[in-house]
Amino acid sequence: MSRSSGHGSAPGGYGFSRVSLDDDYYEVEQSLVRNKYVVRNSADEVALRGKQKMFKMKEEFPFVDDDDREVFSVKAGGIMDVAGNYAVTDAETGEEVVVLDEDFSLFDEVWTIRDPDSGSELATIETRSKPLAALRHTVSLANLIPNKYDIFDADGSKVGAIEGQFSLRDTYTVSVDADGDVPREAVLAAACVLDALENQE
């Protein structure tokens, strides 16, 4: 399915129809129970809310704005994926905006954000700590340690970061350079669900 070049304000049309995620900094906070998320912008305003749909064989995370209008969903491409694709789909148009592809490795956590039509790489999200990545995949308690990721554009230049924080709630911040060419809205969507996808592997 082709994307509309009119999506949002992101470079290349990788945005969403119902909301513009054009801030440089967001904070993502997980609920104490289940995979529920609140995303706030730099002005501490609620930009998105998300919640994993329970009892589904395919992971699915719909995100809504502060008026409860669905903005986008992140859905597994296959049943019980280990290293599969996750499609980020615009709720209004039904079109895939980007695809998340995990490079599965015991000693690393690397997610690639791709164009859904061409498969070309738009950005990558990679953990800073390979030892921690290995622990997270083998020792469940290691998931309590906040992880940190770097965000790179297609040329390998660092353009942002995801910073986990120690707190009772799973909280992390997402920052993406305003002057970069990566689709910030799509990167934010990936960052919102990355924690949940990693923790349930």
Side-chain angles (χ1 to χ4, degrees):
M1 188 175 292
S2 298
R3 290 176 294 101
S4 166
S5 60
H7 279 179
S9 58
Y14 297 101
F16 303 103
S17 300
R18 290 178 175 164
V19 72
S20 179
L21 304 175
D22 54 4
D23 209 341
D24 299 338
Y25 170 93
Y26 290 89
E27 183 176 89
V28 184
E29 182 180 80
Q30 183 180 10
S31 170
L32 288 173
V33 292
R34 295 175 38 167
N35 284 331
K36 295 175 64 177
Y37 295 85
V38 175
V39 183
R40 292 181 171 86
N41 60 22
S42 59
D44 202 32
E45 300 166 336
V46 174
L48 294 169
R49 300 180 189 274
K51 180 174 68 175
Q52 181 182 13
K53 288 189 175 181
M54 306 300 289
F55 310 114
K56 283 184 173 288
M57 294 187 72
K58 290 186 178 183
E59 299 100 342
E60 184 175 353
F61 297 81
F63 283 81
V64 301
D65 62 18
D66 204 28
D67 295 321
D68 286 330
R69 297 184 307 165
E70 187 169 339
V71 175
F72 65 87
S73 64
V74 182
K75 189 173 182 180
I79 295 176
M80 302 300 287
D81 281 350
V82 175
N85 292 339
Y86 293 83
V88 179
T89 303
D90 187 288
E92 182 171 334
T93 65
E95 295 177 351
E96 291 183 0
V97 178
V98 291
V99 171
L100 310 180
D101 182 22
E102 183 187 16
D103 180 10
F104 182 77
S105 168
L106 179 63
F107 299 104
D108 210 351
E109 293 173 354
V110 180
W111 290 82
T112 303
I113 302 173
R114 300 185 185 277
D115 183 284
D117 298 327
S118 68
S120 60
E121 179 182 314
L122 303 172
T124 57
I125 302 174
E126 182 173 356
T127 184
R128 290 182 195 165
S129 173
K130 288 179 171 55
L132 179 55
L135 280 175
R136 283 165 63 91
H137 288 156
T138 56
V139 181
S140 59
L141 286 177
N143 285 311
L144 298 176
I145 303 173
N147 208 344
K148 299 179 187 296
Y149 301 85
D150 289 323
I151 302 169
F152 301 92
D153 64 17
D155 295 325
S157 298
K158 183 179 174 180
V159 294
I162 301 172
E163 303 272 355
Q165 303 173 17
F166 276 108
S167 65
L168 289 176
R169 299 171 185 268
D170 200 355
T171 304
Y172 49 100
T173 60
V174 183
S175 58
V176 182
D177 294 347
D179 298 330
D181 292 329
V182 300
R184 282 190 295 163
E185 300 192 41
V187 169
L188 177 66
C192 288
V193 77
L194 189 65
D195 179 76
L197 297 180
E198 290 288 2
N199 284 345
Q200 65 187 14
E201 288 176 358

